[in-house]
Amino acid sequence: MKKFNKKGFTLIELLAVIIILAILMTLAITAMSGYIRDARKDTFITTAQQYANAARLSFVNGEYDETPGRGQCLVVQTDSIALESGSADSSFDSPFVAADSYIVIYNSSSSGQDEYKYYMQMVDKKRNGFGLIGENAVERENVIEKDVTTASGSNYQTPAENGTLTLEPKVDGKDAVTCSVIDIVTKS
């Protein structure tokens, strides 16, 4: 009887290894795309917070002509704010839409000393973003990909001078929080 020298792999063994590797790669790519999407959303939120902080600093330093009275708000479009990073693009590789991306400075005092709260809405040209929401309430789940303007629950709004913005919708018997827009700060 003749002995066969088995110094290699059979075709079946090679195919099994290739199939296993393909399955593992598919799982890895799926997981990585989820991580990338979450990282883009987190970066989107961080950029929005940078805009809010820059608007707060400009407001505190008296760089805006108007100061909101009780129940009033000042809208600052993001194109009028210079960030230290210098980027005007979202983490989804698209520029922000000036008319739809803004910071709201709202005077929430009911009596006594003025108290200001900050709200923001960010939308890029691909319509990724989030509707008007309190600066500390933005979470990854609020960032909507592909069409924030029609998404349910996004509170997307376009501000108008002398118009009204709903800062917090009516929820569980709690009245809605609205403000009168006294001015819109745009790029000069």
Side-chain angles (χ1 to χ4, degrees):
M1 185 168 200
K2 199 174 187 183
K3 274 188 158 181
F4 287 100
N5 187 1
K6 223 175 176 188
K7 288 189 173 184
F9 297 106
T10 66
L11 182 60
I12 299 289
E13 291 171 329
L14 288 174
L15 284 174
V17 169
I18 290 171
I19 290 171
I20 291 169
L21 287 175
I23 291 170
L24 290 174
M25 288 299 293
T26 303
L27 294 173
I29 289 171
T30 304
M32 286 305 294
S33 65
Y35 291 132
I36 290 170
R37 183 175 39 258
D38 288 349
R40 285 180 185 244
K41 288 181 175 187
D42 291 343
T43 304
F44 196 94
I45 293 168
T46 300
T47 302
Q49 290 168 338
Q50 288 174 345
Y51 275 112
N53 288 334
R56 180 186 349 272
L57 184 62
S58 294
F59 180 68
V60 169
N61 288 335
E63 296 177 22
Y64 301 132
D65 295 333
E66 299 284 340
T67 301
R70 289 186 191 126
Q72 295 179 326
C73 56
L74 176 67
V75 174
V76 182
Q77 291 182 343
T78 56
D79 68 342
S80 70
I81 301 170
L83 293 181
E84 287 183 21
S85 64
S87 176
D89 287 351
S90 77
S91 56
F92 295 100
D93 298 322
S94 179
F96 289 107
V97 178
D100 293 334
S101 298
Y102 54 87
I103 307 301
V104 175
I105 302 169
Y106 168 60
N107 187 338
S108 65
S109 65
S110 54
S111 64
Q113 188 173 355
D114 290 338
E115 181 181 329
Y116 297 100
K117 291 185 178 179
Y118 294 80
Y119 294 81
M120 52 192 172
Q121 173 174 293
M122 302 295 285
V123 180
D124 68 13
K125 286 195 175 181
K126 292 180 182 175
R127 310 314 285 166
N128 301 305
F130 53 84
L132 194 56
I133 191 167
E135 70 171 324
N136 297 324
V138 182
E139 295 179 2
R140 186 182 295 156
E141 295 76 32
N142 300 117
V143 179
I144 299 168
E145 295 180 70
K146 301 298 180 217
D147 203 359
V148 68
T149 59
T150 59
S152 64
S154 78
N155 197 24
Y156 170 83
Q157 299 175 59
T158 302
E161 200 166 325
N162 299 320
T164 302
L165 288 174
T166 301
L167 303 174
E168 298 174 18
K170 184 176 183 172
V171 179
D172 297 329
K174 183 181 172 190
D175 290 339
V177 176
T178 61
C179 70
S180 302
V181 178
I182 58 168
D183 193 16
I184 299 175
V185 179
T186 59
K187 188 175 184 177
S188 40

